[in-house]
Amino acid sequence: MDIVFIDQADRATDKETGGDFRLLPAGDQMARILVQNIHLSNAVRAARQAGRIPIVSAGTCSSSFGVIGGIGDAERNIGMIWFDAHGDAQTPDTSANGFIEGMLTTTIAGHCWPKYREQVPGFRVIPEERIISVSIHEAFSKNARAHAGVAIGTLVNTPVIRKLGYERALGAALDILSARCDQVYVHVDTDVLDPSVLRANRHCAEGGLTDTEVARGLELIAERFEILAVNFTSFDPDEDPRGASVIVPLMTKAAVEAARSRTRSN
């Protein structure tokens, strides 16, 4: 096991700008996110080339661009399982505030930001038919925002979970996906967890999953796919001191299940 910290992740060098600093303006939010993802993509790719399975801890869900770029050298079709309290499926045309963090799955699916995403080394579109969105529970909670339930791909959201039960609902969605690909990227926005388990950030909402359910989800995924990378995002330590005691065991579980999935695949 190697632990890698990406130092100065915001700093763009001539390698990223081609010597023209105007292409990635210093201090600009979108440029900063892009530079971070370029560095992350390179780090994920290096880990894979060393025979490692990347288990990432990142501050924001937009880090998904970098992780997907880093696994973009996979030879076969890739799917994505997206655990989140929100669908993050707006576009520049539907977003009221232009916040890129609300347009992530749509960007990954190829619906927006084409020139931007193409600058992340190795990035490849994952079409909607190979995406599963899990929980998306804010839409069914008190004080839900209007866009909270907008999601893409096969939905395993609160109504589906209530009807079928969590394990059956997720298993059915994974079975559908398994006919379309056999390798996946797993994204875990930590606000998928119910606040009773962990108040991951200011955007969390009641009705989320337990840590036991997320762990079981990783098992179900590993039984059907090779897990290429797992990304845990968006935990704000100022919101809840329980973070390490909840997230670290889940990251360990992700590493174990990803390794098991590789063995099964081989």
Side-chain angles (χ1 to χ4, degrees):
M1 179 180 73
D2 291 334
I3 298 176
V4 177
F5 293 92
I6 302 178
D7 296 324
Q8 299 180 328
D10 292 348
R11 178 173 294 181
T13 67
D14 288 349
K15 184 177 181 180
E16 288 81 46
T17 66
D20 188 346
F21 70 91
R22 296 171 299 177
L23 298 178
L24 291 171
D28 176 76
Q29 180 193 36
M30 293 295 288
R32 188 171 66 250
I33 291 172
L34 180 56
V35 171
Q36 291 170 355
N37 277 295
I38 291 171
H39 291 312
L40 179 56
S41 173
N42 292 333
V44 168
R45 184 177 304 102
R48 281 173 48 78
Q49 290 173 347
R52 306 295 189 184
I53 302 173
I55 308 296
V56 180
S57 175
T60 63
C61 288
S62 56
S63 59
S64 54
F65 300 161
V67 181
I68 291 170
I71 63 175
D73 58 351
E75 294 181 355
R76 302 191 296 277
N77 287 340
I78 298 173
M80 180 174 76
I81 297 95
W82 186 274
F83 290 85
D84 203 323
H86 323 90
D88 294 345
Q90 298 184 81
T91 71
D93 290 332
T94 63
S95 172
N97 58 16
F99 189 40
I100 186 66
E101 298 295 329
M103 310 180 202
L104 304 178
T105 58
T106 37
T107 301
I108 292 166
H111 298 320
C112 54
W113 294 105
K115 295 297 183 182
Y116 187 80
R117 66 180 188 251
E118 289 167 5
Q119 293 187 71
V120 178
F123 184 91
R124 57 197 281 188
V125 166
I126 301 176
E128 281 195 50
E129 60 265 25
R130 298 204 304 266
I131 294 175
I132 299 174
S133 295
V134 184
S135 195
I136 322 299
H137 56 273
E138 185 196 303
F140 309 95
S141 66
K142 295 179 181 178
N143 302 317
R145 292 167 289 181
H147 65 271
V150 179
I152 64 173
T154 302
L155 301 187
V156 183
N157 60 9
T158 299
V160 176
I161 293 171
R162 287 173 180 168
K163 181 178 180 179
L164 300 178
Y166 170 71
E167 187 165 334
R168 183 182 171 196
L170 180 56
L174 293 172
D175 287 341
I176 293 171
L177 182 60
S178 67
R180 300 167 180 168
C181 63
D182 58 7
Q183 297 177 314
V184 294
Y185 159 60
V186 181
H187 183 94
V188 183
D189 183 331
T190 53
D191 68 17
V192 75
L193 294 166
D194 189 81
S196 64
V197 177
L198 180 70
R199 187 172 181 82
N201 54 53
R202 291 183 296 171
H203 301 287
C204 67
E206 294 181 356
L209 303 180
T210 67
D211 49 342
T212 300
E213 288 174 322
V214 173
R216 179 56 180 153
L218 293 169
E219 293 174 351
L220 294 173
I221 295 166
E223 290 170 2
R224 295 165 170 83
F225 304 92
E226 179 184 1
I227 298 173
L228 299 181
V230 186
N231 188 12
F232 290 83
T233 69
S234 302
F235 171 61
D236 182 349
D238 290 335
E239 288 296 313
D240 196 326
R242 297 174 293 176
S245 64
V246 175
I247 298 172
V248 171
L250 284 175
M251 293 184 72
T252 303
K253 179 67 170 176
V256 169
E257 293 303 324
R260 182 168 72 92
S261 77
R262 175 185 283 183
T263 301
R264 183 194 61 80
S265 176
N266 290 339

